[in-house]
């Protein structure tokens, strides 16, 4: 239905290139000035028109009875339509629907508007009599409209029905005239034959409306001079009054197809064989008589443009398809020009004279010239082989006086042609002039808005395409059976811009638009049509259409607006088409089909989206001309706009609108729904008159909104109702009302409203505004999201669950709304609590019902608050910039906290069940647990109060019972989500014993909870042992616990219990842990226990010095002073490390392996033990042992190597090698004694004795130098991977000082030379000690055997000793030791 620009630019009327050259002033295709027209005076309806002012195409300016000078009143030739053969026509009486439809269609001249825009208006004429509807619904019929008479006639096989459709007629509109046909031959009335053709004319003799009826097949003719008299007479008298006749000479199968009024008392009949017959109803003396004459050209003309024509209507020439026959202006009293057009493009011009021979003046073939012009068009491509599909459908005469030349008259025509291409029809209107026997083509108007191909007629009664050219001939109406095309013929003003557009082929088409009749639910199709001749002095062209199934419709063009040019009006705007569809398309019996899915409906989506948004805004702001701004009912006005918004999305939903556009349209509809709800709430308050004492909040808050955010009402213009004014003009900004509902309460309080009752009333109104509007919006969104193409199932709880990245900020969750909805939640809750116990009175007291209502509304308001937060969080998180995303993250955290608080606080209103429902809705387990806990606490406290009534006591007991049942059911409903929160709350409240009491069916949730939280491993192992009997899991929990344990004592206990649990797990059947896994874990436990033992030795070493300390701080200071001399000597980083570790050691906190190594190697010797049994002589061995216990030698060799070198370096630096190297005054025994007392010797010896060097090897001084003295060397250890360079640089500097001291020992004390000798001496000393211990053990073995034999006897003692069997109270272990029980 839209008329669109072609892809290559605007389509323009195509000029004939072979025409004469014009001057620059008229060198435009569409800018040529129209020929001068003869001025016509407007005559009143009671006057006759002189014969020389009869219009072409059979039009009359006015028609009325009365004699004139020549004795013949002027008659108007009417385009007759052959109607559709049907047995029913439902021409509905629209009167019963008018009240219902006044909201959509206004009335103009008692007609119901079907559609209206800036270019035209389509109306339904209600003047269809009931009797006519009844008759035509039972019989086949066709119709002809006589616009000049204001009447129409419908003919069936046996009667004619005449009715007046114009109020000015003398015939009663409600009473049609029925005229029965005289008895005819069976051949002419068979239902299979064409229907009779009827035409209403003005009879010159009787000065009445006359009726001519022709039987198409038999040729019988019936003429009534007065339809009034004929209708009022009896059947016999009707036959007597009728003038009967027949058309002789019809061939077999020849049928009369068309009647055209030709001159006073004359008609032109057209047959299907292409013959033309002149029919007269009066003789030369003016007496009634039917006579016929076949129009033939028997003369042979050898002159003229087309050459010799020997016999125009000979058998070889008249067998052709006559497309149309029209007559020109009446010249003088008796002469008129008749033009005949064939479908093949041949135009014949006849001279008609009253009661004389009808002469063919000339004929001209326009096909070649028109086709040549079309081929030069830039609109479509026409190939030579398409010429055979050239077809003339109809033509119309311009209402201009004929120009009489020397030989022939000239006439300007508008010809409708079609060139069919497959199933597509290419239609064009050709403006041409017949002059001097030739044709000149002026302008070609391509029809681009309609392309349906012409289909063969189903029967003789089918409608044939018709071209109407009503005065003032500025608009052509091309009428198809199911469509009507309007094409503007107006000349575009010649301007520099238009000239440029012509040359660049970008000049847009003149206005043209296709109106399609509704087919899906109504089989509407045109039966007949005509141009209206009344009212043409206004400059508006009007055509009348009789539509099957609908009734009578009229289309009237509208004048240009003031200052509007033809070029500006040329394009049919998308906005206009959408507006027509949404404001008129939903009418149940609308004539027109606004379906956008037609083939001609091509549209740019960007333009469509812009138009849809513009229309939406015009509806929201009531700026649309189709929306009444003032109606008696405000609700009705709002609902009209809501309906229009719904129609807008229904109409545009078939296009691929952007998601953003669809959201904008949905938001507009949401705002309108909210406005309706707000108005209904306000209207209810006005009706109830309960606000007389207080203040109406809505007018106050609207008045507070800044003037830049609303259309200010002007009391001087009578705009005194601020609420109605806002809802009319500012619904598109209604998002401001939501936060202002609460802000206005604050403002009014600041302005001095202190009365509690008034304050309560204001809060109640604010709650109503926010709750009802927002609930309406979210409900509307959920119900209509799919209609708006936003996906199915993407709306949950009113909130969009899809992607927000392409969406603008949702109006329902702007920051102001977020803040003030939350404020109103708190304010209304507090108001309800504060006034719950306030005494009220009838005069000015607090309304307790209102207090209850505010309390009852709080959960709904909490729900809305959660929805607003949820939506804003989603939108912020979807935004591309990092700052907005960060705001979203922060808001999510705040939202979860706020949601929990406001849900839990509902319990303070003694509505715990409502809070529970909301917590369940959002599956907020923490809020759910807190609400139940608070509810339980409140119930317990109330039950403890004295004087509690039995009913209240029962209520609280039921509440407690309900809480217990809910808590139990939540394990099934929510599973671990609920259990996790419940157990966390239990632990947080210190009720540890409740975890292991009455777990019953929910034990598995406790187990899953404890197993999934390492921080509760101390509880988890208890649960595993007591409830699950899973010692393997208990061991895992204990092992994990000891890793996080800071207390050395607890760590030792946990390791021991973990080992015990592993051993127990191995004994279970089936085993709860694999044997190899248990062995590995036990070994790991043993290693860790050894490290704890080493830390115990360190503590035992320093403990004697701490005995006198009074507190923990003193112990720390003493330890630093006594044992930190080495670490504190100008090595700040090592000093810090030592102080941190000594603090842990003094506090009995567990040290990790590397801290133990640092502690051992940095601690200062407090005393010397020459026996070598003290900690001081074993500490470096213990450091190396600790290092091997970590397993780093395999797991992280680089890390192990760095630690190992640092241990050896500090071991070597423990003694003064320069002094030891001075042996000149020492004997060998002294040297051996001194070297044997060094830490290096003691470490080597201990290593050899304990097999340490089976795992690692001693490192000589030369290999230790430079270890850890640079940042790069420290980075090789994974311990320092994440340390900053500054920290490592400071550490490297301290280690470099150690390295310089070692280098000095190597140089001045010859440590490198001493190394090998000390290693060998230590190895020999260890071997000697081992041999000595071995000899001692052999002696003990002999002694053990002697004791066993003495106790048990020889034989039994040997067996028991060997196998370790128990005998009595004696147990001999695997080493052969006798153990006493």
């Amino acid at each position: 239905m839209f008329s669109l620009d072609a892809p290559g630019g605007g389509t323009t009327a195509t000029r004939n290139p072979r025409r004469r050259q014009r001057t620059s002033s008229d060198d435009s295709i569409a800018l040529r000035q129209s020929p001068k027209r003869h001025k016509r005076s407007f005559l009143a309806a009671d006057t006759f028109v002189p014969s020389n002012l009869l219009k072409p195409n059979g039009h009359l300016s006015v028609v009325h009875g009365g004699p004139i000078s020549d004795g013949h009143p002027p008659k108007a030739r009417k385009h007759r339509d052959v109607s559709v053969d049907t047995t029913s026509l439902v021409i509905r009486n629209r009167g019963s629907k008018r009240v219902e439809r006044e909201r959509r269609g206004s009335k103009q001249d008692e007609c119901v508007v079907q559609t209206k825009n800036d270019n035209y208006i389509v109306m339904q004429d209600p003047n269809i009599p009931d009797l006519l509807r009844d008759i035509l619904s039972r019989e086949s019929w066709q119709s002809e409209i006589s616009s000049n008479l204001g009447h129409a006639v419908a003919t069936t096989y046996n009667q004619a029905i005449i009715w007046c459709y114009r109020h000015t007629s003398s015939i009663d509109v409600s009473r049609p005239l029925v005229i029965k046909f005289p008895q005819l031959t069976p051949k002419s009335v068979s239902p299979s034959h064409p229907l009779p053709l009827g035409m209403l004319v003005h009879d010159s003799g009787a000065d009445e409306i006359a009726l001519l009826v022709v039987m198409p097949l038999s040729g019988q003719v019936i003429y009534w001079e007065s339809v009034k008299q004929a209708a009022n007479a009896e059947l016999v008298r009707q036959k007597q009054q009728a003038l009967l006749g027949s058309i002789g000479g019809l061939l077999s199968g020849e049928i009369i197809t068309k009647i055209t009024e030709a001159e006073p008392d004359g008609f032109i009949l057209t047959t299907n064989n292409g013959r033309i017959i002149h029919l007269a109803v009066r003789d030369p003396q003016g007496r009634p008589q039917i006579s016929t004459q076949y129009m033939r050209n028997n003369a042979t003309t050898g002159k003229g443009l087309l050459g010799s024509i020997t016999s125009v209507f000979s058998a070889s020439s008249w067998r052709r398809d006559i497309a149309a026959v029209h007559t020109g202006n009446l010249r003088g009293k008796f002469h008129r020009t008749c033009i005949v057009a064939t479908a093949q493009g041949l135009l014949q011009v006849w001279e008609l004279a009253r009661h004389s021979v009808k002469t063919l003046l000339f004929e001209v073939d326009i096909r070649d010239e028109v086709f040549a012009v079309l081929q030069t068009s830039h609109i479509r491509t026409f190939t030579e082989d398409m010429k055979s599909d050239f077809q003339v459908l109809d033509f119309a005469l311009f209402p201009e006086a004929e120009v009489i030349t020397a030989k022939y008259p000239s006439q300007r025509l508008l010809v409708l042609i079609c060139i069919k291409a497959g199933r597509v029809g290419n239609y064009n209107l050709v403006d041409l002039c017949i002059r001097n026997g030739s044709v000149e083509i002026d302008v070609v108007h391509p029809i681009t808005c309609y392309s349906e191909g012409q289909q063969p007629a189903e029967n003789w009664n089918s409608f044939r395409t018709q071209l109407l050219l009503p005065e003032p001939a500025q608009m052509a109406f091309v009428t198809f059976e199911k469509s009507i095309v309007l094409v503007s013929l107006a000349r575009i003003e010649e301007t520099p811009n238009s000239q440029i557009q012509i040359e660049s082929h970008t000049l847009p088409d003149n206005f043209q638009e296709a109106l399609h009749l509704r087919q899906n639910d109504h089989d509407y199709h045109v039966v007949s049509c005509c141009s209206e001749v009344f009212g043409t002095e206004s400059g508006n062209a009007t055509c009348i259409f009789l539509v099957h199934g609908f009734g009578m419709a009229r289309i009237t063009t509208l004048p240009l607006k003031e200052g509007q040019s033809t070029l500006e009006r040329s394009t049919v705007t998308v906005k206009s088409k959408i507006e027509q569809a949404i404001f008129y398309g939903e009418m149940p019996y609308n004539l027109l089909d606004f379906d956008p899915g037609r083939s001609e409906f091509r549209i740019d989506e960007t333009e469509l989206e812009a138009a849809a948004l513009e229309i939406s805004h015009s509806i929201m702001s009531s700026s649309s001309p189709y929306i009444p701004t003032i109606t008696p009912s405000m609700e009705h006005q709002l609902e009209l706009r809501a309906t229009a918004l719904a129609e807008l999305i229904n109409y545009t939903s078939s296009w691929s609108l952007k998601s953003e556009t669809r959201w904008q349209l949905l938001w507009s509809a949401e705002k309108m729904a909210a406005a309706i709800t707000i108005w209904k709430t306000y209207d209810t308050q006005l009706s109830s008159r309960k606000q007389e004492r207080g203040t109406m909040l809505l007018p106050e808050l609207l008045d507070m909104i800044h003037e830049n955010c609303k259309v200010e009402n002007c009391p001087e213009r009578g705009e005194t109702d601020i609420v109605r004014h806002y809802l009319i003009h500012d619904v598109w900004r209604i998002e401001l009302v939501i936060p202002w509902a609460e802000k206005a309460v604050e403002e009014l309080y600041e302005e001095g409203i202190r009365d509690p009752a008034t304050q309560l009333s204001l809060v109640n109104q604010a709650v109503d505004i926010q709750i009802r509007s927002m609930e309406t919006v979210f409900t509307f969104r959920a119900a209509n999201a799919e209609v708006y193409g936003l996906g199915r199932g993407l709306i949950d709880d009113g909130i969009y669950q899809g992607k927000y990245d392409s969406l603008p900020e949702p109006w329902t969750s702007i920051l102001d709304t977020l803040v003030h909805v939350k404020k109103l939640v708190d304010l209304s809750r507090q108001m309800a609590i504060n006034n719950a116990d306030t005494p009220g009175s009838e005069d000015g007291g607090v309304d307790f019902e209102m207090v209850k209502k505010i309390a009852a509304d709080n959960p709904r308001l909490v729900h809305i608050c959660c929805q607003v937060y949820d939506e804003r969080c989603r939108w912020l998180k979807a935004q591309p910039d990092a700052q907005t995303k960060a705001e979203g993250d922060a808001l999510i955290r705040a939202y979860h906290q706020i949601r929990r608080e406001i849900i839990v606080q509902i319990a303070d209103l003694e509505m715990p069940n409502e809070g529970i429902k909301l917590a369940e809705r959002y599956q907020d387990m923490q809020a759910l647990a807190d609400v139940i806990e608070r509810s339980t606490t409140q119930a317990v406290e109330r039950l403890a109060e004295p004087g509690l009534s039995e009913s209240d006591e029962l209520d609280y007991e039921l509440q407690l019972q309900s809480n217990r049942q809910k808590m139990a059911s939540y394990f099934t409903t929510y599973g671990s989500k609920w259990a996790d929160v419940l157990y966390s709350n239990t632990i947080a409240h210190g009720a540890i014993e409740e975890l292991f009491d009455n777990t019953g069916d929910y034990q598995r949730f406790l187990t899953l909870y404890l197993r999934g939280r390492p921080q509760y491993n101390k509880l988890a192992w208890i649960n595993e042992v007591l409830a699950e009997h899973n010692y393997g899991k208990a061991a895992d929990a204990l092992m994990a616990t000891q890793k996080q344990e800071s207390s050395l004592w607890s760590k030792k206990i946990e390791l021991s219990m973990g080992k015990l649990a592993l051993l127990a797990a191995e004994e279970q059947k089936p085993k709860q842990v694999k044997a190899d896994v248990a062995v590995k874990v036990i070994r790991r436990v043993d290693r860790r226990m050894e490290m704890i033992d080493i830390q115990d030795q360190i503590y035992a070493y320093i403990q004697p010095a701490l005995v006198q300390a009074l507190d923990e701080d003193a112990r720390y200071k003493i330890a630093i002073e006594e044992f930190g001399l080495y670490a504190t000597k100008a090595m700040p980083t090592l000093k810090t490390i030592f102080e941190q570790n000594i603090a842990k050691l003094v506090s009995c906190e567990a040290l990790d392996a590397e801290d133990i190594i640092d502690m051992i190697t940095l601690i200062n010797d407090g005393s010397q033990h020459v026996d070598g049994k003290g900690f001081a002589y074993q500490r470096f061995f213990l450091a190396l042992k600790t290092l091997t216990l970590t397993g780093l030698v395999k797991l992280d060799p680089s890390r192990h190597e760095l630690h190992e070198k640092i241990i050896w370096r500090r071991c070597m630096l423990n003694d003064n090698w320069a002094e030891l190297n001075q042996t000149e005054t020492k004997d060998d025994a002294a040297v051996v004694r001194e070297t044997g007392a060094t830490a290096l010797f003691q470490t080597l010896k201990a290593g050899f004795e304990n097999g340490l060097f089976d795992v690692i090897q001693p490192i000589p001084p030369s290999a230790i130098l430079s270890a850890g003295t640079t940042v790069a060397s420290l980075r090789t250890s994974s311990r320092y991977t994440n340390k900053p360079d500054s920290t490592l640089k400071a550490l490297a500097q301290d280690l470099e000082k150690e390295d310089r001291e070692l280098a000095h020992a190597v140089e001045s004390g010859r440590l490198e030379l001493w190394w090998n000798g000390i290693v060998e001496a230590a190895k020999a000393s260890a071997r000697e000690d081992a041999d000595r211990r071995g000899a001692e053990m052999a002696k003990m073995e002999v002694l053990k055997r002697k004791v066993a034999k003495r106790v048990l006897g020889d034989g039994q003692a040997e067996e028991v000793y060997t196998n370790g069997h128990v005998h009595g109270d004696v147990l001999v272990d695997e080493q052969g030791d006798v153990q006493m029980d």
Side-chain angles (χ1 to χ4, degrees), residues 1029-1037 1039 1057-1084:
H1029 306 292
N1030 191 329
Y1031 301 106
K1033 290 292 184 181
D1036 292 341
M1039 290 298 104
M1057 295 182 67
K1059 181 177 180 179
L1060 182 62
L1062 279 172
L1063 294 173
E1066 282 191 287
E1067 296 297 327
Q1068 294 293 313
K1069 293 183 180 180
K1071 291 186 176 182
Q1072 296 175 350
V1073 64
K1074 293 182 179 179
D1076 56 340
V1077 174
V1079 169
K1080 291 180 180 179
V1081 175
I1082 290 173
R1083 286 177 180 173
R1084 191 160 58 246

Side-chain angles (χ1 to χ4, degrees), residues 133 135 174 196 441 750 809 821 887 901 916 937 1003 1227:
R133 279 196 304 276
I135 295 175
S174 62
I441 298 174
E750 293 295 330
E809 184 179 19
V821 170
E887 291 177 7
E901 291 175 357
I916 289 172
T937 302
Q1003 172 61 44
D1227 57 16

Side-chain angles (χ1 to χ4, degrees), residues 271-282:
T271 72
N272 62 323
N273 286 343
R275 293 203 292 175
I276 304 173
I277 304 170
H278 182 270
L279 182 147
V281 294
R282 292 191 182 275

Side-chain angles (χ1 to χ4, degrees), residues 349-366:
V349 181
W350 290 79
E351 175 72 14
L352 304 181
R354 185 177 184 184
H355 307 302
S356 64
V357 177
K358 313 306 185 272
T359 306
L360 174 65
L361 300 179
F362 64 90
E363 65 180 14
V364 58
D365 192 339
I366 66 171

Side-chain angles (χ1 to χ4, degrees), residues 153 450 661 873:
V153 58
Y450 184 84
T661 303
C873 289

Side-chain angles (χ1 to χ4, degrees), residues 117-269:
N117 55 36
D118 292 340
N119 299 313
Y120 59 86
I121 180 172
V122 181
M123 296 174 291
Q124 181 187 29
D125 194 329
N127 296 322
I128 303 295
D130 294 338
L131 175 62
L132 176 66
R133 279 196 304 276
D134 295 338
I135 295 175
L136 299 185
S137 64
R138 299 190 305 265
E139 304 180 40
S140 299
W141 63 281
Q142 68 174 0
S143 178
E144 181 73 21
I145 305 172
S146 296
S147 173
N148 56 326
L149 300 174
H151 285 70
V153 58
T155 56
T156 68
Y157 285 110
N158 55 13
Q159 63 183 345
I161 303 99
I162 301 99
W163 75 96
C164 174
Y165 64 86
R166 189 180 299 143
H167 291 287
T168 56
S169 174
S170 59
I171 298 180
D172 187 358
V173 173
S174 62
R175 297 181 59 188
L177 305 178
V178 179
I179 300 177
K180 300 290 185 179
F181 297 155
Q183 187 65 37
L184 304 175
T185 61
K187 180 179 179 181
S188 64
V189 296
S190 173
S192 62
H193 295 157
L195 287 162
L197 304 179
M199 173 170 282
L200 296 173
V201 294
H202 185 272
D203 185 83
S204 58
D207 191 21
E208 293 279 357
I209 297 178
L211 172 64
L212 174 69
V213 176
V214 177
M215 302 301 171
L217 192 60
S218 65
Q220 291 179 316
V221 179
I222 312 171
Y223 183 73
W224 287 273
E225 291 182 306
S226 172
V227 295
K228 285 185 180 180
Q229 296 179 7
N232 293 329
E234 297 177 357
L235 181 60
V236 175
R237 294 185 58 195
Q238 283 184 353
K239 182 175 180 181
Q240 293 174 351
Q241 292 177 2
L243 181 63
L244 303 179
S246 63
I247 302 171
L250 291 178
L251 302 177
S252 176
E254 189 171 17
I255 297 173
I256 308 298
T257 59
K258 186 179 180 69
I259 303 176
T260 304
E261 186 178 2
E263 59 177 88
D265 303 324
F267 304 88
I268 301 295
L269 308 181

Side-chain angles (χ1 to χ4, degrees), residues 670-929:
E670 291 174 358
K671 291 178 180 180
M672 190 59 65
I676 293 174
T677 301
I678 289 174
W679 169 255
K680 287 181 178 179
T681 303
Y682 177 71
D683 193 42
T684 301
Q685 293 171 355
L686 289 176
S687 300
S688 63
R689 308 302 298 171
K690 287 185 178 181
Q691 304 296 329
E692 291 181 354
R693 294 187 311 170
T695 302
M696 297 293 288
L697 179 64
L698 186 58
E700 293 289 341
L701 76 86
L702 293 179
D703 187 55
M704 293 177 186
I705 294 176
H706 193 275
E707 60 184 9
N708 292 339
C709 299
K710 63 184 177 182
V711 177
E712 281 286 324
N713 60 312
C714 181
E716 292 79 9
R717 295 198 300 264
E719 299 169 349
T720 57
D721 191 336
I722 189 172
V723 176
R724 285 181 169 86
H725 188 271
Y726 186 90
L727 294 179
I728 289 171
H729 299 287
D730 292 298
V731 171
W732 61 281
R733 293 186 280 206
I734 204 168
E735 65 270 15
L736 300 177
V737 173
I738 310 303
W740 266 102
E742 190 277 334
K743 291 165 70 175
V745 175
E746 294 182 9
E747 292 289 334
L748 291 172
Y749 179 82
E750 293 295 330
E751 291 177 6
I753 293 182
R754 296 291 188 271
D755 176 47
T758 304
Q759 291 178 353
L760 197 68
S761 173
L762 292 173
V763 170
N764 179 52
Q765 294 177 64
V767 169
D768 281 346
I769 290 173
Q770 287 194 356
I771 286 180
R772 298 190 183 186
S773 61
M774 296 299 283
E775 283 183 345
T776 298
V777 167
F778 288 125
T779 302
F780 182 91
R781 183 180 299 171
N784 293 276
E786 188 175 351
V787 175
Y788 282 80
L790 301 176
R792 178 180 298 179
L794 290 179
I795 302 295
D796 182 27
D797 195 27
I799 305 302
Y800 181 57
Q801 306 297 313
K803 296 180 179 179
Y804 281 79
D805 49 353
S806 62
L807 297 185
E809 184 179 19
W811 75 276
T812 45
S813 56
I814 59 176
L815 186 58
D816 257 8
T817 299
L818 188 82
V819 171
H820 291 282
V821 170
K822 170 60 170 61
K823 281 188 175 183
L824 190 58
V825 168
D826 296 335
L827 177 61
S828 62
R829 181 185 62 251
Q830 199 58 47
M831 289 286 288
I833 293 173
N834 293 345
N835 290 280
D837 300 324
T838 302
S841 65
E842 295 182 358
D843 185 16
V846 173
D847 185 347
F848 281 111
E849 292 300 321
M850 187 176 294
V851 174
K852 292 179 182 179
K853 177 183 176 300
I854 292 175
D857 285 343
N858 191 259
R860 296 167 63 190
L861 197 58
V862 168
H863 181 208
I864 291 169
C865 183
C866 293
Q867 289 173 299
V868 173
Y869 265 95
D870 186 8
E871 183 176 66
R872 185 160 186 83
C873 289
R874 292 174 183 272
W875 181 77
L876 289 175
K877 283 290 292 179
Q879 300 314 298
D881 59 294
Q883 181 178 354
T884 307
K885 285 182 179 290
E887 291 177 7
D889 292 331
L891 188 62
I892 288 173
R893 292 190 293 270
Y895 165 50
H896 290 163
Q897 181 63 32
I898 290 172
R899 182 181 67 190
R900 185 171 300 121
E901 291 175 357
I902 59 180
I903 288 177
V904 173
Q905 287 167 346
I906 293 176
D908 296 337
L909 297 170
E910 296 189 358
M911 292 188 297
N913 292 332
E914 298 302 322
I916 289 172
K917 290 178 182 178
L918 281 174
E920 290 174 348
R921 177 191 292 272
Y922 290 103
Q923 297 190 13
D924 190 332
M925 298 299 105
Q926 187 62 58
L928 191 58

